[in-house]
């Protein structure tokens, strides 16, 4: 059996959609596959999407001869605990850092490409297999949501024309309404605010930053409109992240106004992020003139060092 899976701690809609829809494609092509994950699901997997009941196994027992495909992840230190690393046969991801590691191990089966969503890579697999036209509507909807979410409604700078082309096909195929982005992201925001601490903990990564001995605890939430969140929830953001690590920062991504709001308290963190994003702090909050994804911040940091 081929097990399609992703990261250990939590999965977002991109990882979820990739696991489910790639396993579906492999089965369609006569290769027995199962989507499986032991991770928590974050708020980007909305109630409406969960209600589609895509088959993602949370209780899968690994067999000795299972092989693994990793999607939306390439950091070998945070693979789902299901994974036996030596049995990985393919990677589809869009994060930086481990390109050479997997190229050495997997050769042409390592597909790490800097598109906006890993879901775009999976969609292209459907196209290459000549199966896109027979895709279920629900499958198209999951992939479309993943592309919207990971590209922040195409406003993130990592967005490529490949993401736009994939979304255009998928939205039409799933017959999504024109205002579907607002509908989707508003549902995400409502879920996030219903338990902000948990949402933040489920979307926090510890990243190595230039000039820091310790890793930075970098929380991120993506909402439709951040203004209310910042007016009422700053204390929650502060207490949640400072409870995880002394060296923390939050990236509050506001899609409707196309901006990132950076929250930080530690002076060293502020002194690092302010020139990197060309922002100025007013107390603990700084407003960027554009959207930044966490992975874009990490990339910008590595490029200047
Ligand atoms: Mn992704």
């Amino acid at each position: 059996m081929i097990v399609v899976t992703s990261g250990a701690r939590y999965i977002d809609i991109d990882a979820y959609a990739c696991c489910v829809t790639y396993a579906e494609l492999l089965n369609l092509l006569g290769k027995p596959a199962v989507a499986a994950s032991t991770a928590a699901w974050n708020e980007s997997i909305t109630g409406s999407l969960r209600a589609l009941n895509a088959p993602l196994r949370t209780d899968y027992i690994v067999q000795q001869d299972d092989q693994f495909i990793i999607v939306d992840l390439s950091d070998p230190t945070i693979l789902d605990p299901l994974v036996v690393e030596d049995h990985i046969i393919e990677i589809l991801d869009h994060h930086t850092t481990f390109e050479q590691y997997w190229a050495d191990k997997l050769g042409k089966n390592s597909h790490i490409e800097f598109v906006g969503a890993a879901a775009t890579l999976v969609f292209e697999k459907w196209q290459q297999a000549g199966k896109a036209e027979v895709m279920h509507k629900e499958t198209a909807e999951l992939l479309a949501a993943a592309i919207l979410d990971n590209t922040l409604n195409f406003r993130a700078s990592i967005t490529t024309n490949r993401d736009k082309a994939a979304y255009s096909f998928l939205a039409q195929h799933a017959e999504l309404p024109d205002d579907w982005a607002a509908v989707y992201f508003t549902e995400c925001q409502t879920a996030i605010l219903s338990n902000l601490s948990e949402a933040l903990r489920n979307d926090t990564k510890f990243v190595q930053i230039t000039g820091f001995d310790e890793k930075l605890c970098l929380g991120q939430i993506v909402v439709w409109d951040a203004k209310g969140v910042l007016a009422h929830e700053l204390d929650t953001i502060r207490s949640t992240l400072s409870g995880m690590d002394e060296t923390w920062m939050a990236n509050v991504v506001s899609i409707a106004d196309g901006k990132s709001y950076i929250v930080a308290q530690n002076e060293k963190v502020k002194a690092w992020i302010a020139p990197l994003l060309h922002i100025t702090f007013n107390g603990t909050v700084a407003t960027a003139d554009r959207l930044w994804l966490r992975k874009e911040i990490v990339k910008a940091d590595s490029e200047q060092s």
Side-chain angles (χ1 to χ4, degrees):
M1 183 72 83
I2 297 172
V3 180
V4 186
T5 188
S6 187
R9 291 184 46 225
Y10 66 86
I11 52 173
D12 70 355
I13 182 59
D14 195 25
Y16 177 92
C18 286
C19 286
V20 167
T21 62
Y22 199 29
E24 186 183 346
L25 174 65
L26 292 169
N27 282 310
L28 201 57
L29 297 174
K31 296 175 193 169
V34 61
S37 169
T38 63
W41 300 3
N42 83 5
E43 293 69 20
S44 67
I45 311 169
T46 58
S48 305
L49 295 175
R50 290 173 196 215
L52 298 174
N53 284 318
L56 181 81
R57 294 277 302 273
T58 55
D59 57 352
Y60 183 74
I61 307 289
V62 171
Q63 306 298 305
Q64 221 173 7
D65 56 352
D66 279 347
Q67 296 177 309
F68 299 87
I69 294 179
I70 311 301
V71 290
D72 195 31
L73 180 85
S74 49
D75 182 340
T77 68
I78 50 171
L79 295 166
D80 193 293
L82 287 172
V83 177
V84 179
E85 194 181 322
D86 287 343
H87 293 188
I88 294 175
I89 55 170
E90 188 176 26
I91 298 245
L92 271 78
D93 188 31
H94 64 140
H95 294 85
T96 57
T97 310
F98 294 96
E99 300 92 306
Q100 196 58 52
Y101 180 87
W102 292 111
D104 291 345
K105 281 198 146 189
L106 300 175
K108 64 173 175 38
N109 287 332
S110 174
H111 307 283
I112 302 179
E113 300 180 47
F114 304 114
V115 289
T120 296
L121 302 175
V122 172
F123 170 72
E124 289 173 352
K125 288 276 186 188
W126 279 80
Q127 271 190 319
Q128 288 153 16
K131 299 291 184 190
E133 297 293 343
V134 299
M135 183 184 276
H136 291 126
K137 273 186 183 181
E138 293 80 5
T139 305
E141 184 171 343
L142 288 175
L143 288 168
I147 294 171
L148 269 190
D149 181 82
N150 269 217
T151 65
L152 306 179
N153 199 21
F154 310 105
R155 295 180 91 147
S157 68
I158 53 162
T159 306
T160 67
N161 287 333
R162 290 162 68 184
D163 300 301
K164 290 177 185 166
Y167 184 82
S168 163
F169 176 93
L170 293 163
Q172 200 170 17
H173 195 73
E175 299 178 318
L176 301 175
D178 290 344
D179 66 345
W180 199 64
V183 171
Y184 169 71
F185 285 113
T186 302
E187 192 178 351
C188 293
Q189 174 161 350
T190 304
I192 286 168
L193 293 184
S194 74
N195 192 345
L196 182 56
S197 289
E198 193 187 332
L200 264 174
R201 278 193 296 270
N202 285 346
D203 200 351
T204 292
K205 284 186 180 169
F206 289 84
V207 294
Q208 194 62 58
I209 293 302
T210 310
F212 283 65
D213 296 330
E214 67 281 30
K215 286 191 173 179
L216 174 68
C217 169
L218 214 179
Q220 175 170 278
I221 52 170
V222 176
V223 294
W224 183 243
D225 183 358
K227 285 186 197 76
V229 179
L230 292 164
H232 304 293
E233 307 286 357
L234 263 188
D235 279 343
T236 309
I237 293 172
R238 215 174 329 198
S239 62
T240 302
L241 291 177
S242 61
M244 292 179 78
D245 200 285
E246 212 179 314
T247 310
W248 63 267
M249 185 181 105
N251 178 30
V252 181
V253 177
S254 183
I255 296 159
D257 58 352
K259 289 176 179 171
S260 273
Y261 297 83
I262 302 294
V263 186
Q265 225 166 6
N266 180 312
E267 292 304 326
K268 195 178 163 195
V269 172
K270 288 187 187 180
W272 160 73
I273 194 70
L276 188 69
L277 305 191
H278 311 288
I279 54 176
T280 307
F281 278 88
N282 180 5
T284 55
V285 181
T287 308
D289 60 359
R290 50 158 279 203
L291 286 177
W292 286 88
L293 282 175
R294 172 173 43 216
K295 65 171 84 69
E296 294 176 318
I297 297 172
V298 173
K299 194 163 178 237
D301 176 71
S302 70
E303 283 169 0
Q304 70 155 16
S305 62

